[in-house]
Amino acid sequence: MPGGQGPVTSTLELGPSGTAESAGTPGPRRCASRASVPQKLAEALSSQYGLNVFVAGLLLLLAWAVHAKGVGKRALLCVLTALMLLQLLWMLWYVGRSAAQRRLIRLKDAQAGARWLRGSISLFAVITIILGCLKIGYFIGFSECLSATEGVFPVTHTVHTLLQVYFLWGHAQDIIQSFKTLERFGVIHSVFTNLLLWANSVLNESKHQLNEHKERLITLGFGNITIVLDDHAPECNCTLPTLCSAISHGIYYLYPFNIEYQILASTMLYVLWKNVGRKVDGHQHPKMQFKFNGGMMGSVLGLTVLAATIGVVVVYMIRIGRSKTKSESALIMFYLYAIVLLMLMGAAGLVGIWIYRTNEKSLDESKNPARKLDADLLVGTASGSWLISWGSILAILCAKACPPYTWYNLPYSILVIVEKYIQNLFIIESIHREPEKLSEDIRTLRVVTVCNGNTTSLPSSCLKSGGVAEEVAPQDGEMPHAVNGNMCLREGHGKEEEESSWEGAPGPAHCPRFLQCNTKRRVLKNIAAFLFLCNISLWIPPAFGCRPEYDNGLEEIVFGFEPWIIVVNLAMPFSIFYRMHAAASLFEVYYKI
């Protein structure tokens, strides 16, 4: 070559728009980085707007809760109704614009807004609508002394729930690429509106639980605790007293479902906000068919735990507060049952983590807002239970006189901390694993071997296992491995012939490895199914009033009534949400295994 130089080569790369870019010209990349600055600015502005709305709403809720002068329930409901109406306007605009542009190809995040997740929020939404109808009936019964806002609020909330569920079903997976600044403000407004509605429901439900707790303390004769009932009951009589009483009790039994609906909607909308303007590569995880197989034993054990939990809650609610002896026996029963269950859950989580650590399967390190939010919520909401547990441990160690149930409360509090720690590790490890998948090329591959002149094949049990496809399928153009020194010579077509052609052969040397992989998958499925049902079981007691942190009285004596009640009321909603969110994450884990 002249001048001793080699051939000049030009490397081209595809840019985000699909056009060729020169690797040696940094101009387009510099432009892209400049273009991302306004997007980051819009994200920061929208997040600060949402936080200010949330903080102002929380202060209004607090002012109403402490009976601040000039702040009544009417002002609170007016603000919440205005926020919902503003969100309704934005959702109607977005749905209308999407319908007008339905022929355009839209980017989707396959891991956001899964179908089972949308089904869950629909179930909670139905119960929320029933709750709204009960509130409307309650307003009609006490219409003489209630303001009109208490009738307008449940009607608006019902319409808001219907449209929001429709919106999430159709647009939860959208990756918005137009009107990004406006959409960011609309989505973040929706996120914090739902969070304020969640906080309002938590406050109302906590007031009801606190009143019941005070009534139990009065029954048990705690004279050293100042007890004043905080009741916001109407000052007039209901036109139908029996119906109003039934509605009043029914409302508080439905609050746990409404609370889960609001927080679930907030998380789905937050993922939508994080996806606004997101750059998505061409690689998308394939959709998999969900099959309820491989987790029978875990499901049976989990359903047994669920039935036992319901029985424990019923007995606890019947006995607690009736007398000192019955209350102590109810507490001991609950602690013993919870200790056994938490030990089983911790052991199952440790086995699952050990299986993952011995598995050579690669991790999925791709960035995904939904997965990151799941991990953050698990750790963040677990801190609520940890706060209560550490408070109980400190109270037990500092108390001068310890009732009989104290020595059951101590291991229970320790196990709550340890079990959630282990379960979080198991779930985070699971959601970062590549999902089990069998490509079409592998499913249609039929391989038979010739051993000593006879046509034989591998057992069908090896083919059907999750790991066999990875061993049998040629990787990167390599030839299939030899079996007992013989090469695979023939391939055919069709899935039915595939299964029949793998029968009747003695197992090769590596078949036990396939069976071992399949056994590990079955064990993981059983663990995920068992933990899923156990978390639902542990969601039931605190959601429906079975709260030993309230009823044992020990922490209130050590810390004081008001400080401990504040701690429990702040931490308990996060603890309740943790169980439901962990159950949802474990369902996804079962889906991927």
mmCIF file with all atom_site columns, all heavy atoms in Angstrom, residues 531-545:
data_model
loop_
_atom_site.group_PDB
_atom_site.id
_atom_site.type_symbol
_atom_site.label_atom_id
_atom_site.label_alt_id
_atom_site.label_comp_id
_atom_site.label_asym_id
_atom_site.label_entity_id
_atom_site.label_seq_id
_atom_site.pdbx_PDB_ins_code
_atom_site.Cartn_x
_atom_site.Cartn_y
_atom_site.Cartn_z
_atom_site.occupancy
_atom_site.B_iso_or_equiv
_atom_site.pdbx_formal_charge
_atom_site.auth_seq_id
_atom_site.auth_comp_id
_atom_site.auth_asym_id
_atom_site.auth_atom_id
_atom_site.pdbx_PDB_model_num
ATOM 1   N N   . LEU A 1 531 ? -44.945 -19.056 49.335 1.00 0.00 ? 531 LEU A N   1
ATOM 2   C CA  . LEU A 1 531 ? -44.728 -17.717 49.877 1.00 0.00 ? 531 LEU A CA  1
ATOM 3   C C   . LEU A 1 531 ? -45.820 -16.751 49.411 1.00 0.00 ? 531 LEU A C   1
ATOM 4   O O   . LEU A 1 531 ? -46.207 -15.845 50.157 1.00 0.00 ? 531 LEU A O   1
ATOM 5   C CB  . LEU A 1 531 ? -43.349 -17.206 49.463 1.00 0.00 ? 531 LEU A CB  1
ATOM 6   C CG  . LEU A 1 531 ? -42.153 -17.916 50.099 1.00 0.00 ? 531 LEU A CG  1
ATOM 7   C CD1 . LEU A 1 531 ? -40.849 -17.333 49.563 1.00 0.00 ? 531 LEU A CD1 1
ATOM 8   C CD2 . LEU A 1 531 ? -42.190 -17.804 51.614 1.00 0.00 ? 531 LEU A CD2 1
ATOM 9   N N   . PHE A 1 532 ? -46.306 -16.921 48.194 1.00 0.00 ? 532 PHE A N   1
ATOM 10  C CA  . PHE A 1 532 ? -47.386 -16.074 47.683 1.00 0.00 ? 532 PHE A CA  1
ATOM 11  C C   . PHE A 1 532 ? -48.623 -16.175 48.567 1.00 0.00 ? 532 PHE A C   1
ATOM 12  O O   . PHE A 1 532 ? -49.189 -15.163 49.014 1.00 0.00 ? 532 PHE A O   1
ATOM 13  C CB  . PHE A 1 532 ? -47.708 -16.484 46.247 1.00 0.00 ? 532 PHE A CB  1
ATOM 14  C CG  . PHE A 1 532 ? -49.005 -15.942 45.716 1.00 0.00 ? 532 PHE A CG  1
ATOM 15  C CD1 . PHE A 1 532 ? -49.123 -14.610 45.364 1.00 0.00 ? 532 PHE A CD1 1
ATOM 16  C CD2 . PHE A 1 532 ? -50.111 -16.771 45.563 1.00 0.00 ? 532 PHE A CD2 1
ATOM 17  C CE1 . PHE A 1 532 ? -50.318 -14.102 44.886 1.00 0.00 ? 532 PHE A CE1 1
ATOM 18  C CE2 . PHE A 1 532 ? -51.307 -16.278 45.084 1.00 0.00 ? 532 PHE A CE2 1
ATOM 19  C CZ  . PHE A 1 532 ? -51.415 -14.934 44.744 1.00 0.00 ? 532 PHE A CZ  1
ATOM 20  N N   . LEU A 1 533 ? -49.042 -17.389 48.868 1.00 0.00 ? 533 LEU A N   1
ATOM 21  C CA  . LEU A 1 533 ? -50.241 -17.587 49.688 1.00 0.00 ? 533 LEU A CA  1
ATOM 22  C C   . LEU A 1 533 ? -49.986 -17.211 51.147 1.00 0.00 ? 533 LEU A C   1
ATOM 23  O O   . LEU A 1 533 ? -50.891 -16.721 51.839 1.00 0.00 ? 533 LEU A O   1
ATOM 24  C CB  . LEU A 1 533 ? -50.705 -19.037 49.577 1.00 0.00 ? 533 LEU A CB  1
ATOM 25  C CG  . LEU A 1 533 ? -51.288 -19.415 48.209 1.00 0.00 ? 533 LEU A CG  1
ATOM 26  C CD1 . LEU A 1 533 ? -51.443 -20.928 48.083 1.00 0.00 ? 533 LEU A CD1 1
ATOM 27  C CD2 . LEU A 1 533 ? -52.631 -18.728 47.988 1.00 0.00 ? 533 LEU A CD2 1
ATOM 28  N N   . CYS A 1 534 ? -48.759 -17.405 51.620 1.00 0.00 ? 534 CYS A N   1
ATOM 29  C CA  . CYS A 1 534 ? -48.442 -17.012 52.995 1.00 0.00 ? 534 CYS A CA  1
ATOM 30  C C   . CYS A 1 534 ? -48.491 -15.496 53.161 1.00 0.00 ? 534 CYS A C   1
ATOM 31  O O   . CYS A 1 534 ? -48.946 -14.991 54.200 1.00 0.00 ? 534 CYS A O   1
ATOM 32  C CB  . CYS A 1 534 ? -47.058 -17.528 53.382 1.00 0.00 ? 534 CYS A CB  1
ATOM 33  S SG  . CYS A 1 534 ? -47.001 -19.300 53.711 1.00 0.00 ? 534 CYS A SG  1
ATOM 34  N N   . ASN A 1 535 ? -48.033 -14.755 52.164 1.00 0.00 ? 535 ASN A N   1
ATOM 35  C CA  . ASN A 1 535 ? -48.089 -13.300 52.262 1.00 0.00 ? 535 ASN A CA  1
ATOM 36  C C   . ASN A 1 535 ? -49.525 -12.792 52.230 1.00 0.00 ? 535 ASN A C   1
ATOM 37  O O   . ASN A 1 535 ? -49.863 -11.825 52.921 1.00 0.00 ? 535 ASN A O   1
ATOM 38  C CB  . ASN A 1 535 ? -47.270 -12.673 51.136 1.00 0.00 ? 535 ASN A CB  1
ATOM 39  C CG  . ASN A 1 535 ? -45.799 -12.586 51.470 1.00 0.00 ? 535 ASN A CG  1
ATOM 40  O OD1 . ASN A 1 535 ? -45.347 -11.656 52.122 1.00 0.00 ? 535 ASN A OD1 1
ATOM 41  N ND2 . ASN A 1 535 ? -45.042 -13.583 51.036 1.00 0.00 ? 535 ASN A ND2 1
ATOM 42  N N   . ILE A 1 536 ? -50.373 -13.417 51.423 1.00 0.00 ? 536 ILE A N   1
ATOM 43  C CA  . ILE A 1 536 ? -51.790 -13.059 51.454 1.00 0.00 ? 536 ILE A CA  1
ATOM 44  C C   . ILE A 1 536 ? -52.381 -13.364 52.836 1.00 0.00 ? 536 ILE A C   1
ATOM 45  O O   . ILE A 1 536 ? -53.166 -12.585 53.390 1.00 0.00 ? 536 ILE A O   1
ATOM 46  C CB  . ILE A 1 536 ? -52.551 -13.814 50.353 1.00 0.00 ? 536 ILE A CB  1
ATOM 47  C CG1 . ILE A 1 536 ? -52.131 -13.296 48.970 1.00 0.00 ? 536 ILE A CG1 1
ATOM 48  C CG2 . ILE A 1 536 ? -54.062 -13.656 50.518 1.00 0.00 ? 536 ILE A CG2 1
ATOM 49  C CD1 . ILE A 1 536 ? -52.797 -13.991 47.818 1.00 0.00 ? 536 ILE A CD1 1
ATOM 50  N N   . SER A 1 537 ? -51.961 -14.504 53.415 1.00 0.00 ? 537 SER A N   1
ATOM 51  C CA  . SER A 1 537 ? -52.450 -14.872 54.751 1.00 0.00 ? 537 SER A CA  1
ATOM 52  C C   . SER A 1 537 ? -52.021 -13.852 55.795 1.00 0.00 ? 537 SER A C   1
ATOM 53  O O   . SER A 1 537 ? -52.811 -13.482 56.679 1.00 0.00 ? 537 SER A O   1
ATOM 54  C CB  . SER A 1 537 ? -51.922 -16.265 55.131 1.00 0.00 ? 537 SER A CB  1
ATOM 55  O OG  . SER A 1 537 ? -52.341 -17.241 54.197 1.00 0.00 ? 537 SER A OG  1
ATOM 56  N N   . LEU A 1 538 ? -50.784 -13.375 55.722 1.00 0.00 ? 538 LEU A N   1
ATOM 57  C CA  . LEU A 1 538 ? -50.296 -12.408 56.699 1.00 0.00 ? 538 LEU A CA  1
ATOM 58  C C   . LEU A 1 538 ? -50.808 -10.999 56.423 1.00 0.00 ? 538 LEU A C   1
ATOM 59  O O   . LEU A 1 538 ? -50.677 -10.127 57.293 1.00 0.00 ? 538 LEU A O   1
ATOM 60  C CB  . LEU A 1 538 ? -48.762 -12.413 56.707 1.00 0.00 ? 538 LEU A CB  1
ATOM 61  C CG  . LEU A 1 538 ? -48.125 -13.675 57.276 1.00 0.00 ? 538 LEU A CG  1
ATOM 62  C CD1 . LEU A 1 538 ? -46.613 -13.602 57.176 1.00 0.00 ? 538 LEU A CD1 1
ATOM 63  C CD2 . LEU A 1 538 ? -48.535 -13.888 58.733 1.00 0.00 ? 538 LEU A CD2 1
ATOM 64  N N   . TRP A 1 539 ? -51.364 -10.770 55.238 1.00 0.00 ? 539 TRP A N   1
ATOM 65  C CA  . TRP A 1 539 ? -52.018 -9.488  54.963 1.00 0.00 ? 539 TRP A CA  1
ATOM 66  C C   . TRP A 1 539 ? -53.367 -9.393  55.673 1.00 0.00 ? 539 TRP A C   1
ATOM 67  O O   . TRP A 1 539 ? -53.795 -8.311  56.083 1.00 0.00 ? 539 TRP A O   1
ATOM 68  C CB  . TRP A 1 539 ? -52.203 -9.323  53.459 1.00 0.00 ? 539 TRP A CB  1
ATOM 69  C CG  . TRP A 1 539 ? -52.991 -8.114  53.057 1.00 0.00 ? 539 TRP A CG  1
ATOM 70  C CD1 . TRP A 1 539 ? -52.543 -6.834  52.954 1.00 0.00 ? 539 TRP A CD1 1
ATOM 71  C CD2 . TRP A 1 539 ? -54.380 -8.060  52.691 1.00 0.00 ? 539 TRP A CD2 1
ATOM 72  N NE1 . TRP A 1 539 ? -53.550 -5.990  52.553 1.00 0.00 ? 539 TRP A NE1 1
ATOM 73  C CE2 . TRP A 1 539 ? -54.692 -6.715  52.384 1.00 0.00 ? 539 TRP A CE2 1
ATOM 74  C CE3 . TRP A 1 539 ? -55.379 -9.011  52.601 1.00 0.00 ? 539 TRP A CE3 1
ATOM 75  C CZ2 . TRP A 1 539 ? -55.969 -6.324  51.984 1.00 0.00 ? 539 TRP A CZ2 1
ATOM 76  C CZ3 . TRP A 1 539 ? -56.652 -8.625  52.203 1.00 0.00 ? 539 TRP A CZ3 1
ATOM 77  C CH2 . TRP A 1 539 ? -56.935 -7.285  51.899 1.00 0.00 ? 539 TRP A CH2 1
ATOM 78  N N   . ILE A 1 540 ? -54.038 -10.520 55.840 1.00 0.00 ? 540 ILE A N   1
ATOM 79  C CA  . ILE A 1 540 ? -55.402 -10.527 56.377 1.00 0.00 ? 540 ILE A CA  1
ATOM 80  C C   . ILE A 1 540 ? -55.473 -10.016 57.818 1.00 0.00 ? 540 ILE A C   1
ATOM 81  O O   . ILE A 1 540 ? -56.307 -9.151  58.122 1.00 0.00 ? 540 ILE A O   1
ATOM 82  C CB  . ILE A 1 540 ? -56.017 -11.939 56.248 1.00 0.00 ? 540 ILE A CB  1
ATOM 83  C CG1 . ILE A 1 540 ? -56.243 -12.276 54.767 1.00 0.00 ? 540 ILE A CG1 1
ATOM 84  C CG2 . ILE A 1 540 ? -57.329 -12.041 57.007 1.00 0.00 ? 540 ILE A CG2 1
ATOM 85  C CD1 . ILE A 1 540 ? -56.706 -13.702 54.536 1.00 0.00 ? 540 ILE A CD1 1
ATOM 86  N N   . PRO A 1 541 ? -54.643 -10.511 58.777 1.00 0.00 ? 541 PRO A N   1
ATOM 87  C CA  . PRO A 1 541 ? -54.832 -10.087 60.182 1.00 0.00 ? 541 PRO A CA  1
ATOM 88  C C   . PRO A 1 541 ? -54.747 -8.582  60.403 1.00 0.00 ? 541 PRO A C   1
ATOM 89  O O   . PRO A 1 541 ? -55.699 -8.002  60.964 1.00 0.00 ? 541 PRO A O   1
ATOM 90  C CB  . PRO A 1 541 ? -53.717 -10.852 60.915 1.00 0.00 ? 541 PRO A CB  1
ATOM 91  C CG  . PRO A 1 541 ? -53.449 -12.038 60.073 1.00 0.00 ? 541 PRO A CG  1
ATOM 92  C CD  . PRO A 1 541 ? -53.632 -11.584 58.662 1.00 0.00 ? 541 PRO A CD  1
ATOM 93  N N   . PRO A 1 542 ? -53.667 -7.890  59.991 1.00 0.00 ? 542 PRO A N   1
ATOM 94  C CA  . PRO A 1 542 ? -53.645 -6.445  60.271 1.00 0.00 ? 542 PRO A CA  1
ATOM 95  C C   . PRO A 1 542 ? -54.667 -5.663  59.459 1.00 0.00 ? 542 PRO A C   1
ATOM 96  O O   . PRO A 1 542 ? -55.157 -4.622  59.916 1.00 0.00 ? 542 PRO A O   1
ATOM 97  C CB  . PRO A 1 542 ? -52.215 -6.033  59.893 1.00 0.00 ? 542 PRO A CB  1
ATOM 98  C CG  . PRO A 1 542 ? -51.763 -7.052  58.909 1.00 0.00 ? 542 PRO A CG  1
ATOM 99  C CD  . PRO A 1 542 ? -52.427 -8.322  59.311 1.00 0.00 ? 542 PRO A CD  1
ATOM 100 N N   . ALA A 1 543 ? -55.005 -6.151  58.264 1.00 0.00 ? 543 ALA A N   1
ATOM 101 C CA  . ALA A 1 543 ? -55.965 -5.418  57.434 1.00 0.00 ? 543 ALA A CA  1
ATOM 102 C C   . ALA A 1 543 ? -57.362 -5.437  58.030 1.00 0.00 ? 543 ALA A C   1
ATOM 103 O O   . ALA A 1 543 ? -58.143 -4.494  57.828 1.00 0.00 ? 543 ALA A O   1
ATOM 104 C CB  . ALA A 1 543 ? -55.990 -6.007  56.023 1.00 0.00 ? 543 ALA A CB  1
ATOM 105 N N   . PHE A 1 544 ? -57.686 -6.477  58.794 1.00 0.00 ? 544 PHE A N   1
ATOM 106 C CA  . PHE A 1 544 ? -59.041 -6.604  59.342 1.00 0.00 ? 544 PHE A CA  1
ATOM 107 C C   . PHE A 1 544 ? -59.075 -6.504  60.866 1.00 0.00 ? 544 PHE A C   1
ATOM 108 O O   . PHE A 1 544 ? -59.984 -7.019  61.510 1.00 0.00 ? 544 PHE A O   1
ATOM 109 C CB  . PHE A 1 544 ? -59.669 -7.910  58.876 1.00 0.00 ? 544 PHE A CB  1
ATOM 110 C CG  . PHE A 1 544 ? -59.960 -7.922  57.402 1.00 0.00 ? 544 PHE A CG  1
ATOM 111 C CD1 . PHE A 1 544 ? -59.050 -8.448  56.508 1.00 0.00 ? 544 PHE A CD1 1
ATOM 112 C CD2 . PHE A 1 544 ? -61.122 -7.368  56.900 1.00 0.00 ? 544 PHE A CD2 1
ATOM 113 C CE1 . PHE A 1 544 ? -59.291 -8.449  55.147 1.00 0.00 ? 544 PHE A CE1 1
ATOM 114 C CE2 . PHE A 1 544 ? -61.388 -7.366  55.543 1.00 0.00 ? 544 PHE A CE2 1
ATOM 115 C CZ  . PHE A 1 544 ? -60.462 -7.903  54.661 1.00 0.00 ? 544 PHE A CZ  1
ATOM 116 N N   . GLY A 1 545 ? -58.077 -5.827  61.439 1.00 0.00 ? 545 GLY A N   1
ATOM 117 C CA  . GLY A 1 545 ? -58.164 -5.454  62.851 1.00 0.00 ? 545 GLY A CA  1
ATOM 118 C C   . GLY A 1 545 ? -57.459 -6.356  63.826 1.00 0.00 ? 545 GLY A C   1
ATOM 119 O O   . GLY A 1 545 ? -57.540 -6.126  65.039 1.00 0.00 ? 545 GLY A O   1
#
